[in-house]
Amino acid sequence: MGYYVAVEQNVNLYVEDLDPGNGKPVLFIHGWPVNHKMYEYQFNQLPQMGYRCIGVDLRGFGKSDRPWRGYSYDRLADDIRVVIDTLELENITLAGFSMGGAIAIRYMARYGADKVSKLALFAAAAPLFTRRPDYPYGMTKEQVNSLIQATYTDRPKMLNDFGDMFFASYVTEGIKDWMHGLGMEASGHATAMCAVSLRDEDLRRDLSAVSVPTAIFHGVQDKVCPYPFAEFMHAGIQGSELVPFLYSGHGLFYDELEKFNRELVSFLAK
């Protein structure tokens, strides 16, 4: 079922709760610039294995409200907290893809292990999305600035260009069109503002705050969040498990769909 959760005055987030009240809860946070529907091929399978899948559209994306402000990682993590409290969730697995993984890490830094028993990070845009003098991985700030500019001038082309480096394996034109459509459902302004957060936020100090069992799924061929991101997170999150996807790019949830679902269920069942 789908419903709205008020996270602050005049801002409501759309939540898709596949089997309310039944199964172990897994709260999925989507990546930039799509929405919760990116997890379709996980939501098709996990409920029949006893998991309550909850997808949230971040503010500005999917069916959620589109405020002008509020796109810092702190605010987005606080939104997730309101959803968790409103749904009265306990012992959840918090799962985040790309920017959603970064938000999940920031959530752990702000709220600790309260309400969360496990953390799953999928091609997370962390600890940094852009290069620094002491972090030579990822895009340059200039490249992200170009994404922001293109978002405000020709967002369909920006999404096409971004989509060209999303998957490593061959995917059908239908899948490409589907992902492009998810991106077009977003607010253009929210897309740009979250790109600013991706460009500027630094999660290196947040990693040590993660104190729950953590699985890091990452594509070795990822061109958006290169594999060294995963190695840095693995080193910074005590006791974490790193699961490489040898044949995957950024879209590992589809590049190696069967392995992704199998590894995720294995982690959830531990």
Side-chain angles (χ1 to χ4, degrees):
M1 63 179 293
Y3 44 82
Y4 286 89
V5 172
V7 293
E8 63 177 356
Q9 187 175 7
N10 299 321
V11 181
N12 301 287
L13 299 192
Y14 182 76
V15 176
E16 187 77 23
D17 194 343
L18 297 191
D19 197 7
N22 295 307
K24 301 175 182 178
V26 185
L27 193 154
F28 290 85
I29 309 174
H30 64 81
W32 180 93
V34 291
N35 56 61
H36 84 279
K37 288 187 284 187
M38 61 158 281
Y39 291 112
E40 175 176 340
Y41 297 94
Q42 286 68 56
F43 291 177
N44 284 345
Q45 296 188 27
L46 268 63
Q48 63 185 333
M49 300 176 186
Y51 297 100
R52 176 185 175 188
C53 295
I54 302 162
V56 179
D57 286 347
L58 297 170
R59 60 171 64 203
F61 297 87
K63 295 182 180 179
S64 290
D65 287 343
R66 305 176 173 207
W68 193 251
R69 298 178 178 83
Y71 297 100
S72 69
Y73 285 175
D74 283 354
R75 179 64 255 183
L76 295 170
D78 290 348
D79 287 352
I80 295 298
R81 178 63 184 208
V82 175
V83 171
I84 290 171
D85 287 344
T86 301
L87 273 59
E88 299 181 345
L89 300 175
E90 299 284 348
N91 297 318
I92 69 169
T93 296
L94 191 60
F97 168 73
S98 195
M99 185 183 75
I103 294 166
I105 292 171
R106 177 56 53 85
Y107 177 96
M108 301 303 298
R110 289 175 75 76
Y111 297 103
D114 186 37
K115 311 289 186 181
V116 176
S117 60
K118 292 182 180 180
L119 178 66
L121 303 172
F122 314 136
L128 291 157
F129 186 68
T130 52
R131 300 175 193 174
R132 304 289 197 278
D134 56 348
Y135 187 87
Y137 315 114
M139 295 186 183
T140 65
K141 289 192 173 184
E142 291 72 23
Q143 287 174 311
V144 179
N145 287 340
S146 295
L147 282 177
I148 295 167
Q149 178 65 21
T151 297
Y152 282 127
T153 55
D154 191 344
R155 188 158 62 101
K157 183 179 185 303
M158 182 279 291
L159 291 173
N160 275 334
D161 293 344
F162 185 71
D164 285 343
M165 60 180 179
F166 200 84
F167 297 105
S169 61
Y170 170 77
V171 297
T172 64
E173 290 302 313
I175 290 293
K176 291 180 181 178
D177 291 345
W178 172 61
M179 290 298 293
H180 183 273
L182 296 184
M184 286 304 299
E185 290 180 21
S187 153
H189 179 67
T191 300
M193 288 298 96
C194 282
V196 170
S197 293
L198 282 165
R199 183 192 67 194
D200 296 344
E201 297 267 11
D202 187 340
L203 294 160
R204 283 177 289 186
R205 293 184 179 179
D206 296 48
L207 298 180
S208 61
V210 179
S211 59
V212 298
T214 300
I216 300 167
F217 293 6
H218 218 100
V220 173
Q221 301 180 50
D222 197 329
K223 296 179 181 178
V224 178
C225 296
Y227 192 71
F229 285 25
E231 295 173 325
F232 205 107
M233 287 184 283
H234 181 44
I237 299 175
Q238 186 173 6
S240 60
E241 173 188 0
L242 176 56
V243 183
F245 285 70
L246 299 180
Y247 308 107
S248 290
H250 196 52
L252 73 170
F253 60 91
Y254 194 83
D255 272 337
E256 293 183 77
L257 173 60
E258 291 185 6
K259 176 180 178 178
F260 184 93
N261 287 352
R262 182 176 65 250
E263 294 285 357
L264 178 55
V265 170
S266 175
F267 174 65
L268 295 174
K270 290 179 180 178

